[in-house]
Amino acid sequence: MKKHQQNPTVILVFMALTIAGSILLVSWTTAATQSIPVSKLYWTDKDTNKVQRANLTGTEQEDIVTTGLSGPDGIAVDIAGGKIYWVDWDTDKIQRANLDGTGIEDLITAGLSVPESIALDLTNGKFYWTDSGNSQIRRANLDGTSVENLITTGLLSPEGIALDVAAGKMYWVDWGTDKIQRANLDGTAVEDLVTTGLAEPQGIALDLLHQKMYWTDAVTHLISRANLNGKAVESLPISGLADLRGIALDVAAAKLYWSNGGTGVIRRANLDGTGAEDLVTGLAAPRNVALALIGDLPTNTPTYTPISTPSSTPTHTPTPTYTPTLSPSPLPTTVTPTPTALPPTFTPTLIPTFTPTFTLTPTPILVTATATRTSLPTSTPTPSPPAGTRYLYLPAVANVPPPTLTSTPTVTPSNTPTPQWRQLGTGVHNFTQMAIQDRGALFVGARKEKDSLGGIYQRSLQSCVLTSDFTHLLQLNDSVLGLFFAGDQGVFTVDQDQGIYYTIDGGATWQQSQSVIRRPRSIAMGSNYRFYAGTENAGIYFSDTGGVNWTNLTMKPRDINVVKFINNILWIGDHNDTAHDGGGVSILVDGSSNAALRNSGLDTPTSRQIRDFAYDGNTQLYYVATDDGVYRGDGNNPWNSFGLQGNNVLSLEVVNDILYAGIRQGGVQQRSLRGNSEWQKASEQDFAVSDLLYDDQYCQGLVAATDKGMWLYAK
């Protein structure tokens, strides 16, 4: 362990004052005992068991804690108090040390089971943490005393946590339930904010100035953001993301920092996702990141020591000769110094000679709407910062009005290209279901025909070269009916007994399941990598082993076309199975074994044959594809017709407030979900569309699996 050192005081401002003819030197000091000459980036590395730091540019990297760790994860910094805090999920400890790694203290050593993340409430002297093993969120005093259980139910594997102390809220992600939630700081009033589009969310950070939250997802390999209420979700246009973990924001500099665990790199970009760059490379397994920003230091009451004894009345008022510039530059604060008591025979008169004036002009973040599933707000929100909020570059200043943010309208040029359909690859295969695996690999199932084998095809989407053809990765004498990927785990079904195959290496190799299942059709995945399979005549099966072994869950309903997870609910589409409590829509809560009917309004035999589901997160409405058109509902009340009656609709996808429908021998139709619009033909081709999938990361378009090959609808 490093030896304790005496550290110099942090000199923030150096000002000359006149006191009854003498010149007194005033130095501002912080409560910290350590010197931080520049802002710092801190992170944990779970494989090398270190806490490390560097400058914000990634230079001057140094190890600061190298002993006593075994799985360090969440980290937080109190720059004013001169401390770093971290959790260790292998030793089950919460610890802290000085900013340079000296003076390590154990704060909590009992009652923990895989602590994941930590956040500081310096206003009230508390720290909060998530406990994945105990499925809890807890808090304690900064010295580790007075431990409180805040949330003990409804959680599965809570991970990242962030605080909005001024508003009295805490935010967290749960990679077990695939949710982003928030609650009051005492754990009451839990709210679901984001419940779709997540696979394994890890880190979360708040931009309180612009009322945004940012998060990382280790499985989808996306950095996304939304309003603090969970609305207007968008994925940032950043490439090269892999096994994302922690995230931190420097709002003053409009920068976000994150750890790329899959490549051993810590990176940063602008808040809108542009300008991504590598900062620190060659790491083993970086986990969480935290920022120690000079602009986050509080403004303290100065102390001073007289240097000379006044001897005469000055004839002029001296002008300050030095004005420091900090990075980021905080706005000056009017300070009334409190002099040290002098001998009774001397009464000084303080005459400050510096009156700060300034103009606050924040730079609004330009939000670029690129291929998101939800619409963006029409203007940048203009919040009034609540009292007591500690922004990175906005210290409390008396009588300073809150900043006014103005949005710059985006002008769409008249020559904006129109989306068009183009074929991906040159082979004309009868494709069925598809999935995009991380790193941009598109996997698609094929139907067996008399002149071609079925099985799995694969190609890369990263380059989006149209002529790049598919590789017949796995040839089978049968048709693929269902396909699902989550990270490196994938499962697909074929139309035969024991017809489930699985992969654990991203699709490089496939093996057949060891369980015999009667004619599986569709695959979905719930929490904790639990896969569900819907069968033709044997109900629902589940696998907690990545597809190796399967167990029957329920026989009702029995004849199933499609299963899909939406909002932590398994939605089940039947093939008119009225004899076994089916025939329409059923739902099954993740982890339950009892399905409940939701088929009211689906009255005809053709409308009860369900082919696909879609969900609009803005209106919270569900859409059902049937053999007799599309139906819409809120998931509880009766379904209502939404057009295309008489058409056999096989697939649905919601993209930017537009519902796309794939028709058997009818191509693709589209309809706006806003206003009283009607269905319009979106494709000239009348191929049979088995599956629709929106690729918002690579090709930026709608991908259609058809009986005439694979097609892309993009600009």
Side-chain angles (χ1 to χ4, degrees):
M1 184 175 296
K2 297 181 181 179
K3 188 176 181 180
H4 286 272
Q5 299 177 4
Q6 299 249 340
N7 296 287
T9 303
V10 180
I11 299 179
L12 295 180
V13 175
F14 193 66
M15 180 189 293
L17 299 178
T18 59
I19 303 182
S22 67
I23 302 296
L24 298 185
L25 299 181
V26 180
S27 63
W28 289 10
T29 64
T30 69
T33 61
Q34 297 176 283
S35 175
I36 300 297
V38 294
S39 296
K40 291 286 185 179
L41 167 67
Y42 287 76
W43 69 90
T44 55
D45 193 311
K46 76 174 184 67
D47 282 3
T48 60
N49 294 318
K50 293 179 180 179
V51 177
Q52 299 169 287
R53 71 178 179 183
N55 293 336
L56 296 187
T57 57
T59 59
E60 298 185 20
Q61 178 182 336
E62 55 184 323
D63 300 340
I64 58 173
V65 180
T66 59
T67 60
L69 304 181
S70 180
D73 199 337
I75 186 170
V77 181
D78 174 9
I79 184 174
K83 296 290 183 181
I84 51 174
Y85 294 72
W86 67 88
V87 300
D88 192 308
W89 49 258
D90 203 4
T91 64
D92 287 330
K93 287 183 179 182
I94 298 178
Q95 298 173 287
R96 72 178 175 184
N98 297 327
L99 293 176
D100 61 1
T102 61
I104 297 176
E105 303 174 71
D106 290 345
L107 299 179
I108 298 180
T109 59
L112 305 179
S113 177
V114 193
E116 299 273 12
S117 190
I118 187 170
L120 304 181
D121 173 5
L122 300 178
T123 301
N124 300 299
K126 299 281 187 180
F127 64 79
Y128 291 65
W129 73 93
T130 56
D131 192 308
S132 181
N134 290 320
S135 301
Q136 294 179 348
I137 295 177
R138 309 169 78 187
R139 72 180 175 187
N141 295 333
L142 290 179
D143 61 1
T145 60
S146 301
V147 175
E148 301 174 74
N149 295 331
L150 300 179
I151 301 178
T152 59
T153 60
L155 305 178
L156 194 56
S157 300
E159 178 72 45
I161 186 170
L163 306 180
D164 180 358
V165 176
K169 294 288 184 181
M170 59 177 168
Y171 294 69
W172 69 90
V173 298
D174 191 320
W175 61 263
T177 61
D178 290 333
K179 288 182 179 181
I180 298 177
Q181 298 173 287
R182 72 178 174 187
N184 295 330
L185 289 179
D186 62 1
T188 60
V190 176
E191 303 174 70
D192 290 348
L193 301 179
V194 180
T195 58
T196 60
L198 305 175
E200 195 172 309
Q202 293 289 314
I204 186 170
L206 304 181
D207 174 1
L208 300 179
L209 184 61
H210 302 98
Q211 297 290 285
K212 291 283 186 181
M213 59 179 176
Y214 290 69
W215 67 90
T216 60
D217 195 301
V219 171
T220 65
H221 302 306
L222 293 174
I223 297 177
S224 304
R225 68 179 177 185
N227 296 337
L228 290 182
N229 61 3
K231 302 300 183 182
V233 175
E234 57 175 329
S235 297
L236 300 184
I238 307 175
S239 60
L241 304 178
D243 193 23
L244 297 166
R245 297 295 173 174
I247 185 170
L249 304 181
D250 181 355
V251 179
K255 294 287 185 182
L256 62 92
Y257 295 72
W258 72 92
S259 57
N260 241 38
T263 59
V265 176
I266 293 179
R267 310 179 68 197
R268 74 174 175 186
N270 298 325
L271 289 180
D272 62 2
T274 61
E277 58 181 326
D278 293 348
L279 298 179
V280 182
T281 60
L283 302 175
R287 297 288 289 192
N288 262 284
V289 295
L291 298 177
L293 301 172
I294 291 297
D296 221 17
L297 283 167
T299 302
N300 290 8
T301 302
T303 61
Y304 64 89
T305 303
I307 293 179
S308 62
T309 303
S311 58
S312 61
T313 303
T315 58
H316 69 281
T317 302
T319 302
T321 59
Y322 173 72
T323 302
T325 301
L326 304 181
S327 178
S329 301
L331 297 173
T333 304
T334 302
V335 178
T336 303
T338 303
T340 303
L342 295 176
T345 58
F346 176 77
T347 304
T349 303
L350 303 183
I351 307 176
T353 60
F354 176 73
T355 303
T357 61
F358 57 87
T359 302
L360 179 61
T361 308
T363 303
I365 297 175
L366 176 62
V367 178
T368 305
T370 56
T372 59
R373 292 179 183 265
T374 56
S375 59
L376 290 169
T378 57
S379 63
T380 305
T382 309
S384 297
T389 301
R390 298 176 65 248
Y391 297 129
L392 299 183
Y393 70 109
L394 186 61
V397 180
N399 301 320
V400 177
T404 301
L405 303 181
T406 59
S407 60
T408 303
T410 302
V411 179
T412 303
S414 58
N415 60 349
T416 301
T418 302
Q420 56 180 316
W421 288 98
R422 293 166 291 179
Q423 187 174 1
L424 280 175
T426 58
V428 180
H429 309 286
N430 189 345
F431 288 134
T432 55
Q433 298 294 301
M434 55 185 167
I436 298 178
Q437 192 253 358
D438 57 354
R439 298 178 294 278
L442 173 65
F443 289 81
V444 57
R447 195 177 303 278
K448 178 189 177 298
E449 298 180 313
K450 64 179 181 179
D451 56 349
S452 64
L453 293 174
I456 294 291
Y457 286 76
Q458 183 264 338
R459 64 156 285 170
S460 175
L461 287 178
Q462 292 191 14
S463 62
C464 281
V465 176
L466 297 177
T467 56
S468 177
D469 215 342
F470 287 82
T471 300
H472 203 166
L473 196 65
L474 183 64
Q475 301 184 34
L476 296 172
N477 194 28
D478 218 320
S479 300
V480 172
L481 301 181
L483 176 63
F484 194 95
F485 256 100
D488 286 334
Q489 295 191 39
V491 177
F492 72 86
T493 65
V494 295
D495 191 17
Q496 62 179 9
D497 290 347
Q498 199 175 341
I500 293 184
Y501 288 75
Y502 67 93
T503 180
I504 60 174
D505 56 10
T509 59
W510 295 85
Q511 300 182 61
Q512 193 169 17
S513 168
Q514 299 176 12
S515 301
V516 176
I517 300 179
R518 299 290 304 276
R519 302 178 71 87
R521 284 178 174 166
S522 182
I523 291 288
M525 192 190 78
S527 61
N528 283 344
Y529 290 93
R530 168 178 276 202
F531 287 94
Y532 291 80
T535 70
E536 179 178 331
N537 54 18
I540 301 287
Y541 280 73
F542 76 94
S543 173
D544 286 330
T545 58
V548 179
N549 299 292
W550 295 81
T551 302
N552 183 260
L553 183 65
T554 176
M555 291 292 291
K556 295 181 179 182
R558 184 167 184 167
D559 191 3
I560 298 167
N561 285 331
V562 60
V563 289
K564 181 175 285 189
F565 256 94
I566 304 173
N567 293 340
N568 208 38
I569 300 292
L570 183 69
W571 291 80
I572 305 168
D574 304 322
H575 189 76
N576 196 20
D577 183 29
T578 56
H580 297 92
D581 292 339
V585 177
S586 300
I587 63 170
L588 185 72
V589 177
D590 190 11
S592 171
S593 60
N594 297 315
L597 280 174
R598 289 289 189 274
N599 64 351
S600 178
L602 305 173
D603 301 318
T604 67
T606 51
S607 68
R608 285 198 299 265
Q609 296 182 24
I610 309 300
R611 301 295 178 179
D612 200 10
F613 297 95
Y615 177 71
D616 178 14
N618 287 333
T619 60
Q620 298 183 359
L621 293 175
Y622 298 81
Y623 298 85
V624 175
T626 79
D627 284 7
D628 186 32
V630 178
Y631 289 77
R632 179 173 69 177
D634 61 5
N636 295 302
N637 297 308
W639 300 95
N640 298 302
S641 173
F642 198 61
L644 294 181
Q645 267 55 51
N647 289 276
N648 189 343
V649 183
L650 300 180
S651 56
L652 296 173
E653 185 77 352
V654 176
V655 182
N656 292 335
D657 297 331
I658 295 177
L659 177 64
Y660 292 88
I663 315 296
R664 186 187 299 275
Q665 302 306 331
V668 179
Q669 298 272 341
Q670 68 179 39
R671 179 173 177 176
S672 172
L673 299 181
R674 304 294 174 260
N676 297 318
S677 61
E678 299 294 332
W679 286 97
Q680 298 179 356
K681 198 168 181 59
S683 65
E684 298 178 0
Q685 300 86 353
D686 284 333
F687 35 51
V689 182
S690 298
D691 197 15
L692 292 170
L693 183 64
Y694 188 57
D695 172 25
D696 59 356
Q697 186 172 1
Y698 298 103
C699 293
Q700 304 286 311
L702 185 70
V703 185
T706 79
D707 62 344
K708 298 296 188 294
M710 188 70 60
W711 293 76
L712 172 67
Y713 185 56
K715 297 179 181 179

